[in-house]
Amino acid sequence: RDLHSFPTRRSSDLIFTKEQFGVMTLYLKSYDKIGNMRWNSEAKAYLTCDPQDLENTPYHSQAIDWLKNSIFASVQDSTIYVFGSTFKVKDEIKDIGVRGFVNQPFAYWQTKYSSRVAKKLNERFGFNLEIIEDDKAKIRVTNSKVFVSNIDKNISWKISQALSYQDINAQWMIGSGMYYLFNYKEGSAPIGFLQTIMNILNENEVAFEVVDERFVKNPLALEWNGVTLRDYQVNTVNHCADKTLAFVSSPTGTGKTEIGMGIIHKLQASALILVHKKELLYQWKERIEKTLNVNVGLIGDGLREEGDITVATIQTIYNNFGLIKKDYDIFIVDEAHHISADTFYGLSPKINARYRFGLSATPFREDGHEMKLFAHLGELYQSITPREAIARGFLLKPIFEVIKGSNAYHRKWQTEVAQTSNDPRVNATIVERAIELLNEGRYIYIDVRTIEHGKILNKMFKEKNIPSDFIYGQASTEKRLSVLEEFSKGGRILISTLLKEGVDLPIMDTIILGGVANSMIENLQKIGRVLRNKPTGQDKPLVIDRQDYGKHTSKWFARRQRLLHKYYNE
């Protein structure tokens, strides 16, 4: 070809022979810079051209003629592959590639050819290319990631958009505040998005095949003793076993621990259970050993022993992942909503488990980052709603009562909250109401937000010779267990900053929200403590809230009451 007929300033760069590169390379990109060389080391050389870039120019017909002649003249018996980008509205043809050596591997971009491009070439430019039907998209599933390949950029973009979200505080952040959880370059996403990706391909009528590389490494032979699962628990266990991934939502008191044990028994495989509080270590261990008749390892609270089933605190594992020496087949995260999203998102991919499940009463986060939990645990599955659980008698219907709170008012919410906690009149009201209920034989828990507030209330009860205990984060495990045991005997008031979730005290029938909290998740978890059916026969659990009148606390009260009544269908 007469390459110098093109007015290029770099025509000398185009003087390459077939002997040097296998296939002569020419890239026609723009009106005045035709001839920019492209070189691909993996495929040796390839021929590429975009005739549309030269439309409405004197060089358009020459480019088409050169392209057709060069393809058929230089390739001879080699296979011709046509590929391109078809994501734009105009369905533009961006690349046409020639494989010069049959046994040479293709570069990454060369594997993404499209029959639509070949058809477009034949229609628009009079080519006579054999149509090679597109391969199916491929989803490769590993224990922590999903890899999707052989999809065009349009589908990649749709997946990327579906697996992204914006920070709720974006308006105060530098940049857009967007989080993208799909690795566009690698074509990968966290394992929890497997179903989402399959849904997108189905919606866009993209044929695909799934290659699942996960398998069970440590099968077990587990017993089942003394527990009869309810119908919704059985349905949840079956759903989890079938899907291999699920973020299970079930209200406090509806048996999330039983669901977790049921999953392990159904799958008959080794399991790692992550918790965020020391109390939950021992609760899970006791329940599993009694029900499944297997020794349970513990990692946390100073303990470092693994078993076929191991319960560990996430803080311990996050700080020293080397403590996990074994591979586990099942990964369960208890109270998943409470774990730091960033901590979990960094830790979860290191755990090499085929099955992954989250358990939570409140499957949302007030910081808006719940998608980072779904990313590694799977789609949300509602085991049973609070309304249904109450209607069917699995939970008791709460009675709500409101006492007058503080008039403290300040432009800073931190200062306002501190003033409400130290309000003598409100604290006296709390103490008086608690004593009245104690005399009625109720088991009363007073929730506080600060250690200082707890000490104030505990001192006030002591001054009135009322038995009470205050426990908080610095208390040892032995101290906590001792206090909870004494509380279960009756006649004592329990004050704590700790009983947000995970503490099993079915005897408790009254909760006083003594501290001011804006977190709906915390409030729902606390209230859930008193809704379990009582061994005493008490069937009217009492929830006492405080109505404060400050700049911030008044809004929190209104929001809290509105959501609580809606949640429990009051």
Side-chain angles (χ1 to χ4, degrees):
R1 307 273 59 126
D2 183 7
L3 301 179
H4 294 282
S5 64
F6 294 94
T8 173
R9 292 176 302 204
R10 299 183 58 193
S11 41
S12 61
D13 294 342
L14 300 176
I15 308 304
F16 300 108
T17 65
K18 183 176 178 181
E19 288 69 27
Q20 286 177 292
F21 296 102
V23 175
M24 184 167 56
T25 300
L26 176 66
Y27 184 59
L28 304 175
K29 185 60 182 176
S30 61
Y31 310 151
D32 61 345
K33 288 189 179 181
I34 303 170
N36 289 333
M37 185 188 72
R38 289 181 91 179
W39 172 251
N40 186 295
S41 59
E42 290 187 40
K44 292 298 183 183
Y46 59 89
L47 190 64
T48 178
C49 177
D50 185 352
Q52 290 192 46
D53 282 350
L54 299 175
E55 281 184 347
N56 302 317
T57 74
Y59 314 111
H60 189 218
S61 61
Q62 296 181 56
I64 295 174
D65 290 340
W66 180 89
L67 184 60
K68 289 192 292 185
N69 292 334
S70 297
I71 286 178
F72 293 104
S74 62
V75 176
Q76 297 178 356
D77 295 330
S78 299
T79 303
I80 297 175
Y81 287 86
V82 180
F83 52 92
S85 303
T86 58
F87 66 95
K88 293 188 177 181
V89 176
K90 293 172 63 177
D91 196 23
E92 293 181 349
I93 301 163
K94 281 297 180 187
D95 292 293
I96 303 169
V98 176
R99 184 179 182 184
F101 300 96
V102 176
N103 294 324
Q104 288 292 336
F106 274 148
Y108 172 76
W109 57 269
Q110 286 178 295
T111 66
K112 294 187 176 181
Y113 60 86
S114 168
S115 61
R116 285 176 293 176
V117 178
K119 292 174 183 177
K120 185 70 71 174
L121 283 169
N122 289 343
E123 294 171 2
R124 178 173 292 183
F125 303 118
F127 283 26
N128 188 26
L129 298 176
E130 180 182 356
I131 304 300
I132 304 173
E133 292 299 330
D134 292 341
D135 288 343
K136 289 183 178 180
K138 181 178 179 181
I139 298 177
R140 184 166 67 90
V141 185
T142 68
N143 284 330
S144 62
K145 282 186 177 182
V146 179
F147 296 87
V148 57
S149 59
N150 205 30
I151 57 174
D152 62 31
K153 292 183 179 180
N154 181 35
I155 302 300
S156 293
W157 181 84
K158 289 182 178 181
I159 293 174
S160 178
Q161 293 302 300
L163 307 188
S164 64
Y165 68 98
Q166 188 172 39
D167 195 293
I168 60 175
N169 297 313
Q171 58 181 316
W172 296 291
M173 299 173 64
I174 298 174
S176 65
M178 291 296 297
Y179 292 87
Y180 296 94
L181 306 185
F182 178 65
N183 186 325
Y184 200 93
K185 181 178 180 180
E186 190 178 71
S188 68
I191 181 66
F193 292 131
L194 172 60
Q195 188 62 51
T196 301
I197 291 174
M198 290 195 295
N199 291 343
I200 291 173
L201 295 182
N202 283 325
E203 291 166 4
N204 289 274
E205 299 182 346
V206 176
F208 64 90
E209 60 179 345
V210 178
V211 179
D212 195 337
E213 298 178 356
R214 300 171 298 168
F215 61 93
V216 172
K217 300 175 287 292
N218 301 300
L220 302 178
L222 300 170
E223 301 177 11
W224 186 262
N225 304 304
V227 177
T228 301
L229 295 181
R230 297 166 179 166
D231 56 355
Y232 66 86
Q233 293 173 325
V234 172
N235 292 338
T236 303
V237 168
N238 291 335
H239 172 86
C240 291
D242 178 56
K243 295 297 185 181
T244 73
L245 302 155
F247 194 109
V248 176
S249 173
S250 196
T252 301
T254 56
K256 293 189 295 297
T257 303
E258 284 75 14
I259 290 173
M261 292 190 301
I263 291 171
I264 296 172
H265 181 261
K266 174 82 173 180
L267 298 175
Q268 291 287 308
S270 62
L272 174 65
I273 302 164
L274 284 192
V275 300
H276 74 286
K277 295 177 67 175
K278 292 187 291 185
E279 289 85 357
L280 293 174
L281 278 175
Y282 303 103
Q283 285 186 24
W284 272 95
K285 176 181 172 66
E286 180 182 355
R287 296 273 192 89
I288 292 173
E289 290 184 341
K290 182 177 180 181
T291 304
L292 302 180
N293 193 26
V294 61
N295 291 328
V296 176
L298 293 181
I299 298 179
D301 199 21
L303 302 171
R304 303 289 187 271
E305 182 180 356
E306 288 187 271
D308 290 330
I309 298 175
T310 299
V311 187
T313 59
I314 190 169
Q315 298 91 339
T316 304
I317 299 302
Y318 183 76
N319 293 329
N320 189 357
F321 188 76
L323 294 173
I324 300 294
K325 307 295 184 183
K326 303 178 59 173
D327 279 339
Y328 295 92
D329 298 303
I330 305 169
F331 175 42
I332 296 177
V333 185
D334 191 24
E335 303 293 356
H337 69 279
H338 197 75
I339 295 172
S340 164
D342 290 336
T343 296
F344 178 74
Y345 196 75
L347 173 64
S348 182
K350 299 178 182 179
I351 298 172
N352 195 28
R354 168 171 169 74
Y355 301 95
R356 293 168 174 265
F357 309 107
L359 303 175
S360 178
T362 50
F364 56 88
R365 296 177 59 88
E366 288 172 292
D367 62 7
H369 290 293
E370 57 266 17
M371 185 175 275
K372 285 191 172 182
L373 301 182
F374 299 148
H376 288 286
L377 296 173
E379 294 186 332
L380 181 64
Y381 176 81
Q382 184 74 57
S383 179
I384 188 173
T385 66
R387 299 175 188 179
E388 183 183 355
I390 291 173
R392 296 182 61 186
F394 300 137
L395 294 178
L396 299 173
K397 189 176 182 64
I399 297 172
F400 291 100
E401 179 182 317
V402 176
I403 61 174
K404 186 175 181 180
S406 175
N407 293 318
Y409 192 99
H410 200 277
R411 62 184 181 85
K412 293 183 178 181
W413 70 266
Q414 296 92 336
T415 303
E416 186 173 283
V417 169
Q419 292 174 351
T420 62
S421 298
N422 295 321
D423 190 316
R425 180 188 59 79
V426 179
N427 288 335
T429 301
I430 292 173
V431 169
E432 290 171 6
R433 184 61 179 132
I435 294 174
E436 291 176 1
L437 296 170
L438 185 68
N439 291 333
E440 295 176 7
R442 283 185 170 269
Y443 292 77
I444 304 154
Y445 164 62
I446 303 177
D447 183 81
V448 294
R449 298 282 296 171
T450 67
I451 295 175
E452 179 185 8
H453 192 197
K455 289 181 176 179
I456 289 173
L457 293 175
N458 195 39
K459 181 180 179 181
M460 294 175 70
F461 283 116
K462 300 296 185 186
E463 290 172 351
K464 294 180 176 292
N465 295 318
I466 301 298
S468 65
D469 295 291
F470 173 50
I471 53 175
Y472 51 98
Q474 297 178 7
S476 66
T477 299
E478 292 75 16
K479 172 68 174 177
R480 298 182 192 187
L481 294 175
S482 174
V483 168
L484 296 179
E485 183 179 356
E486 288 299 312
F487 175 76
S488 298
K489 297 176 182 178
R492 302 183 72 85
I493 290 174
L494 175 62
I495 310 165
S496 180
T497 61
L498 300 175
L499 272 68
K500 297 179 181 66
E501 63 279 299
V503 177
D504 189 12
L505 277 178
I507 196 78
M508 185 169 65
D509 56 32
T510 302
I511 180 171
I512 300 176
L513 301 176
V516 180
N518 187 32
S519 170
M520 269 308 302
I521 291 178
E522 285 190 13
N523 283 309
L524 290 174
Q525 292 284 344
K526 296 168 189 173
I527 292 170
R529 301 298 112 202
V530 302
L531 303 187
R532 289 183 170 92
N533 287 291
K534 310 303 175 189
T536 60
Q538 174 63 263
D539 61 355
K540 292 181 172 54
L542 181 60
V543 179
I544 300 178
D545 199 359
R546 51 182 290 170
Q547 181 175 6
D548 296 286
Y549 302 92
K551 173 181 174 63
H552 307 280
T553 55
S554 60
K555 297 176 183 177
W556 296 352
F557 170 78
R559 175 174 176 266
R560 193 163 60 240
Q561 286 291 301
R562 182 175 64 255
L563 293 179
L564 286 177
H565 286 271
K566 180 179 179 180
Y567 188 77
Y568 292 110
N569 198 27
E570 174 72 356

